[in-house]
Amino acid sequence: MRAASPVTLVLVGCGAVSRLFYQPALLELRRHGLVNILAVVDPRAEARAPLAVALGAAACTKLDEALELRPELVVIATPPALHRAQAEAAFAAGGAVLCEKPLAASATDADAMAAAAARTGRLLAAGHYKRFMPAHRALKTLIERETFGPLLDATLVEGGKFSWPAATDSFFQREQTPGGVLLDIGVHVLDLLRWWLGDPTNYTYADDALDGLEANARLDATFASGASVRLRLSRDWRTENVYVFRFARATVHSRVNASNQLEFTLDGLPMTLAAELREPLPGRPAPPTRALDTNPQAFIAQLVDVCAAIRENRAPFVPGIEGAQALRWVEACYARRTTLPIH
Amino acid sequence: MKTASQSSTWAIIGASGFIGLRALEGLHDRDGIAVRPVVRAASSLAVLARRRLDWRIAGPRDLASLTGALRGCSVCIHAALGDPLQIEQMATVAYQACAAAGVRRLVWLSSASVHGQNPAPGTDESSPIHDRHLLAYNNAKVRAEHRLEKLSADGRVEVARLRPGVVFGPRSRWITDTAADLRAGRAGWLDEGRGVCNSIHVDNLVHAIRLAATVPAAAGHAFVVGDAESVIWRDFLLPVATHLGLSANDFAIAAPAALVAERETPFAALTRSRLYQNLGEHVPDRAKRLVKSLASAWPAPALAPGAWRLPRSSSNAPRLTLEHTLLQRCAWKLPHAKAARILGYTPPVPFAEGLAASLAWLDFAEGPR
Ligand SMILES: NC(=O)c1ccc[n+]([C@@H]2O[C@H](COP(=O)([O-])OP(=O)(O)OC[C@H]3O[C@@H](n4cnc5c(N)ncnc54)[C@H](OP(=O)(O)O)[C@@H]3O)[C@@H](O)[C@H]2O)c1
C-alpha cells in the first residue's frame, strides 16, 4: 500500500555532513522501512563510493543520472552555491527536496527555490533540524506561554576552535561559501531566534572578516516583545556553548546540542535544577518516563517529518521559506556589519 | 624600503597556530609582505580565512606536497608543532622541501627548551645542547636542530634557528591555561612565583622572525630571543589573577612534579614501533589523531575513593606538571645578546604592554564573565 511504502530518495553530496549525519540517520530510517535509498551523488569517486557501499545505493556522478530513478525525495547536502540548481532539477523531475542549511548561496536563490517549489507543487524543507530538539521546543513554549513570566533577555554564545572535517577548502572561499561563522553555525541560531521571538525590531552586527570570512561575530537584537538578545559566535576560540534565557521569574540555560537537557534556576530557589527532558509524567504515581530526543534523534526526526509530509501531502515542520528568511537575516547582518577589533 | 626578500613570498608552515598566525598577521598586515600560509588540513583555515590569502594545504611531513606548497617562496618560516617524533621528522622534511622548492632561507622555530626549562646560570647559545632532558619535547627540539645543522652543511638552504622561551600573547596557552586553572581553583605556584620566567611577547618573536628571515648574517646561527625585561613568574601569573578579580591568595603552594624523565604514553610507544613507522604518511593524520585521542582516553589507574570527601574540597595541593616545575625553578634569564649583536634584535613590545594586550584578547575571546 502506497501510504506505508518507504519514501524513495537520493542523497546529493557525499561530504562530511552526509558521512557523519545522513548515513547513520538514513540507515536507521531504512531499518524501520521508512526510506528506500536509491542513489548517492558526488563528482568525487573517493567520497561517493564508500557512502554508496555503506547505504547499499547506486553511486552517481551527476544528479541527472540519479533523477532518472525518479526519487520521491532529494536530500541536498552539497556546497550552498549548488543548492538552487539542484533543487530546481529535483522539482522538475517530480521530487520533493530537503536541503541542508544554509538553504542557498543567497536569499535571492533561496526565494527562487521556494518559488519553484510552489510553482511545481513540490515540497521544500529547510535543514534547520535544531528546531526538532526538545530543549528548543520547550524554550519556545516557555517564551510564548510566559510560564516564568516574560523573557527579559537572552545571551547566546556558541562555537569553538573549528574542527569540522571539511574535505576541501571550498568552505573557506568566499566564491563558494559566501559567509563565515555567522552563515555556518549562526544561520541555525538566527532561525531559532526567529522561531522563538519573530523578526527583530532592531539589531546591530559586527564581525572580524577582513577581506575574507569572519571567524568571530556579534549580534545584538531586540524583539517586539521587548526582549533583547546578545549573540556571540566563534570558530576561532572555545566558548561556553550555552544559551541563557532570563525570564522574569527564572533563568534557563540550554547547552548547545544538549538536545534533551535544560538547567533551570528558579527565583527563590537557591539551587539549579539540571534536568533531562522526558515524556510527560501523568499526575499520579508512575514509573519514570522515556528521555526525549537526543541530538542525533532530532536530526532523524526531521527526516521522519519530511517523509511523513510527503506521504500526508502536507507542509514540513520547517518549510523552505523559513530557511530563506534566516538567510535573508544573515545577509542583512553582513550588509550592516561593523568590524570587530583584531587582537 | 623593502629588501629583495621582502618583495617575494614568505611561506609560513603551521600558519594556523598561535605563533604562525601572529607571524602572518604581523608580516602581511603590518609589513605588507606576501605570505603563503601552509596548513595541514582544510579545517585549519577557519581563522586564516578572515583574509583572502593564497594558502596551501600540505602535511609538514609529506615531502612531495610540502615541496609543491613552497614553490615560488624565498623564505619559509616553520611554526608547526607535533609530537616529539614528528618534530624531528618535520625538520628533515622542511629542509628537503625548501631545498627542492628553491627556498633561500628557512627560519626554524626551535625553543629555549633546548637548554632545558631551568638552564644553568651562564647559559647562552654557546653552551652545548644535549638530548638527555627529562622532557621528550626538549630532546626532540635538540635533535631537530642537530638534523638541520647537518642537512644545511650542503649549503642549499640557509637556516636560522630561533630559541624563544615562554611565548605569550593572544591565543597563547600560557594565558588561557593560567586563566582556566585560576577559574577552576587549581592554580598553583612554587616559591610564590619567584622563579625566572624567560618570557617573550609573541610580537617580539615575530620581530625576531622578520630579522632572522632577512639579515644575511643570521644564516647558520641559533638565537635565544626574549623580552627586554627580567621577568619572574609572579610578574606573569599575578596580573592574570588580578584581571580575573583574584589575588595571590588564589595560588596554592603547588606540589612540584617528580624530576624523572617523562614516561612514554601507550600512544608514543605505538608510534615508535616499526609497524607504525612503516605506515608513515599512509596513515591519514585524522586516523592518527583518532588513535591518539583514544590512547589519551584510556582510563587512568583508579584513584583513592572520593566518596567520603566533603563536597568541593580538593584532596591535595595542585600538582605542577614537570614542565611547570622546571620552568618555575628557573634562576637564569637567558640573554639575547647574540640576537642583538647579529640580528639587531631589540624587543619592541614592553612586557607589561604585551601582557595587558593578551588579557584584553582573553576578554574578547571568552566574553563577559
Ligand atoms: N608557544 C610557546 O610558548 C613556544 C615556545 C617555544 C617554542 N615554540 C615553538 O613554536 C612553534 C609554534 O608553536 P605554537 O605555540 O604556535 O604551536 P600551536 O599553536 O600548537 O600551533 C601549531 C601549528 O602546528 C600544527 N600542527 C600541530 N600538530 C601537528 C601535527 N601533528 N602535524 C602537522 N601539523 C601540526 C597546527 O595545525 P592545526 O591548526 O591544524 O592544529 C598549528 O598550525 C613550535 O615549533 C613550538 O615548538 C613555542
Side-chain angles (χ1 to χ4, degrees), chain A residues 161, chain B residues 14-20 40 44 60 79-82 86 90 109-111 137 141 164-167 174 285:
Chain A
K161 202 165 153 45
Chain B
S16 53
F18 156 52
I19 295 170
R40 61 170 155 169
S44 310
L81 195 52
Q86 292 171 342
M90 282 178 193
L109 275 167
S110 181
S111 168
Y137 168 79
K141 286 293 199 187
V166 173
V167 189
W174 303 108
D285 267 3

Side-chain angles (χ1 to χ4, degrees), chain A residues 162 164-166 168-169 172-175 208-213 215-216 218 232 235-238 340-343, chain B residues 16 22 25 29 42-43 45-47 49-52 55 57 170-171 176 180 286 357 360-361 364-368:
Chain A
F162 189 84
W164 183 250
T168 68
D169 64 357
F172 299 106
Q173 286 176 343
R174 234 180 205 299
E175 298 70 28
D208 63 352
L210 293 155
D211 50 358
L213 303 175
N216 294 285
R218 304 269 194 276
R232 237 165 29 87
R235 60 186 189 192
D236 172 6
W237 202 254
R238 65 170 173 253
L340 283 177
I342 298 268
H343 282 270
Chain B
S16 53
R22 195 69 177 186
E25 290 170 349
D29 299 358
S43 58
L45 293 167
V47 181
R50 296 187 299 189
R51 297 167 178 80
R52 206 184 271 267
W55 57 62
I57 297 172
R171 296 185 184 77
T176 57
R286 208 182 297 132
W361 167 81
F364 168 81
E366 302 199 344

Side-chain angles (χ1 to χ4, degrees), chain B residues 218-231:
Chain B
H221 286 284
F223 301 96
V224 166
V225 282
D227 286 331
E229 299 82 350
S230 290
V231 174

